[in-house]
């Protein structure tokens, strides 16, 4: 996990107003990247993993800055141009509608 986050931080500034973490899982990457953003929204389809992320951030300074959402990337409940950055670690290969998801993420 640290190697992947390190690769991202070397390529792109890890700072901004909003980050969307697609397929956040248990939130390992979300928590590692969150300090650079004002607000982070983490989405996944697995309620158990989302619960793990909720427990991970509960009582921390991230609790008020990280939104945890059960959502698919091909139907995002966010306005257009909401995010400065989008991450999708280990998720692209699992998407049924890759083109649809990428179009939705891009907006």
């Amino acid at each position: 996990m640290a190697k992947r986050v390190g690769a991202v931080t070397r390529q792109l500034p890890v700072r901004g107003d909003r980050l969307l973490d697609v397929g956040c899982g248990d939130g390992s990457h979300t928590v590692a990247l969150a300090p650079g953003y004002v607000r982070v929204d983490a989405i996944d389809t697995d309620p158990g993993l989302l619960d793990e992320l909720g427990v991970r951030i509960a009582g921390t300074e991230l609790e008020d800055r990280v939104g945890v959402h059960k959502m698919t990337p091909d139907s995002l409940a966010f306005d257009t141009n909401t995010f400065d950055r989008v991450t999708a670690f280990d998720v692209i290969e699992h998407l049924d509608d890759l083109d649809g998801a990428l179009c939705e993420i891009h907006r």
Side-chain angles (χ1 to χ4, degrees), residues 15-78:
R15 63 184 178 283
D17 289 331
R18 296 285 295 264
L19 169 69
L20 173 63
D21 188 11
V22 175
C24 64
D26 69 358
S28 298
H29 296 102
T30 310
V31 169
L33 294 169
Y37 294 89
V38 174
R39 172 88 183 156
V40 176
D41 289 285
I43 69 166
D44 206 295
T45 59
D46 186 323
L49 292 174
L50 293 171
D51 288 345
E52 287 182 43
L53 173 53
V55 168
R56 180 179 290 221
I57 62 173
T60 72
E61 59 99 21
L62 295 177
E63 186 173 25
D64 294 331
R65 294 181 28 235
V66 176
V68 180
H69 312 277
K70 184 176 186 294
M71 190 180 308
T72 62
D74 58 351
S75 183
L76 298 175
F78 301 104

